[in-house]
Amino acid sequence: MSAPAVSAPAVSAPAVSEAAPRRTLPNLSRLRQPLLALALPVAMGIAWHLLTVGKPYSLIPPPAEVWTAMVDLAIGGPEGDAFSGTLLTHLVASLTRVFGGFGLAALAAVPLGLLIGRVPIMRQLLDPTLQILRPVPVTAWLPLAMILFGLGPRSAYFLVFLGAFYPILVNTIFGVRSVEPRLFEAAAMLGCRGSAQFARVVLPAALPSIFTGLRLGLGFAWVVIVVGEMTGVPTGLGAIIMEARQLSRTDIVICGMIVIGVAGFVCDRAVMLVGQRLLAWSPSHG
């Protein structure tokens, strides 16, 4: 009597069908973040449209009028005015002042923060004065800046420098003060002593905090650019915002605000990407 044949187990249909949806999950996860990021701006735009459209006496123009003004500001139009086609000129002027003041602030704040954070006598000498000056808002420096540097771009550079200086300085000091003391002991055992520890121990260990300060400093530089360009400069995003305010061109004011926000966001993303590349070893920046 022959043994009964054993049939091979059949592959169930659900097991085959479940594999297909799993392949689409990575695509959905990639779309999730940009969709969430766009959700709030789209909701704000819809609310803005509903609150302003069809109201000719509203002080705030609807989004369609702002978009028309943005296109005219960027590339000009048939009914051109003083603002038509000037966006690139103003954007380049503001970028030059932002990165000029930010670069000067970084060159001054990083070495000073390393000294204050590591050398006790420098901390006792400089830290009290800097902590007194730090709460003074940039707008309070505006009259003094115009007296010291006159009307023009030099005052704007100075005010942007002030806006970026303190975030970089404070985060650099924090990074230096947070370095593990055992690192200095280990470096000394390997023959690294004195000023050599700045380059080989202090700077690498404090670099994540320094990069955080650079991001904050660049953000504050964009915050104060409008104040910096209230010093009589003819070009710049802050300059056209102030001029449009005087002419009651609220659409141009909103366009300038949007461009500043987008430019600041792009600059922040660029600094963050550079930090991720240089600080891939750091858990907080990897």
Side-chain angles (χ1 to χ4, degrees):
M1 185 175 180
S2 60
V6 179
S7 59
V11 179
S12 59
V16 176
S17 61
E18 287 177 0
R22 289 178 183 175
R23 295 177 182 176
T24 62
L25 288 179
N27 295 329
L28 294 176
S29 62
R30 290 177 185 177
L31 292 175
R32 183 173 181 270
Q33 184 173 355
L35 288 176
L36 287 176
L38 290 173
L40 182 58
V42 170
M44 293 174 62
I46 294 173
W48 177 13
H49 172 78
L50 294 176
L51 292 173
T52 57
V53 70
K55 297 181 180 179
Y57 299 104
S58 174
L59 297 177
I60 304 297
E65 292 184 16
V66 174
W67 173 252
T68 302
M70 182 72 79
V71 173
D72 180 69
L73 185 65
I75 61 176
E79 300 179 359
D81 54 18
F83 299 105
S84 296
T86 61
L87 178 60
L88 183 60
T89 300
H90 295 299
L91 178 59
V92 170
S94 291
L95 282 169
T96 303
R97 291 166 192 142
V98 165
F99 280 100
F102 168 75
L104 292 174
L107 289 175
V110 172
L112 194 60
L114 293 174
L115 289 173
I116 294 175
R118 182 61 183 152
V119 182
I121 189 171
M122 296 297 294
R123 182 165 60 252
Q124 296 166 7
L125 178 65
L126 298 175
D127 191 61
T129 302
L130 292 173
Q131 294 302 325
I132 291 173
L133 293 176
R134 187 165 64 94
V136 179
V138 174
T139 51
W141 286 92
L142 179 61
L144 189 59
M146 290 189 289
I147 293 173
L148 293 174
F149 301 101
L151 298 176
R154 288 188 299 176
S155 296
Y157 280 109
F158 172 72
L159 294 173
V160 173
F161 167 85
L162 284 179
F165 176 78
Y166 288 106
I168 301 174
L169 178 69
V170 171
N171 279 273
T172 301
I173 296 173
F174 174 77
V176 175
R177 299 285 291 169
S178 301
V179 176
E180 181 64 39
R182 286 178 293 182
L183 293 177
F184 296 107
E185 297 174 2
M189 292 175 61
L190 295 173
C192 180
R193 294 182 175 86
S195 59
Q197 290 186 347
F198 270 99
R200 297 187 178 182
V201 179
V202 176
L203 186 59
L207 207 53
S209 292
I210 293 174
F211 250 94
T212 300
L214 291 174
R215 285 187 63 191
L216 292 174
L218 185 57
F220 274 99
W222 279 107
V223 168
V224 303
I225 188 60
V226 176
V227 178
E229 290 176 341
M230 290 171 58
T231 56
V233 293
T235 57
L237 297 172
I240 63 169
I241 287 176
M242 299 307 299
E243 185 178 353
R245 181 187 66 84
Q246 294 173 353
L247 298 175
S248 299
R249 290 291 305 274
T250 312
D251 52 348
I252 299 295
V253 172
I254 297 175
C255 288
M257 294 168 61
I258 293 173
V259 173
I260 288 176
V262 173
F265 175 80
V266 172
C267 293
D268 179 74
R269 295 295 102 175
V271 173
M272 188 178 69
L273 289 175
V274 172
Q276 287 176 346
R277 291 292 183 90
L278 295 179
L279 303 172
W281 51 268
S282 175
S284 59
H285 288 78

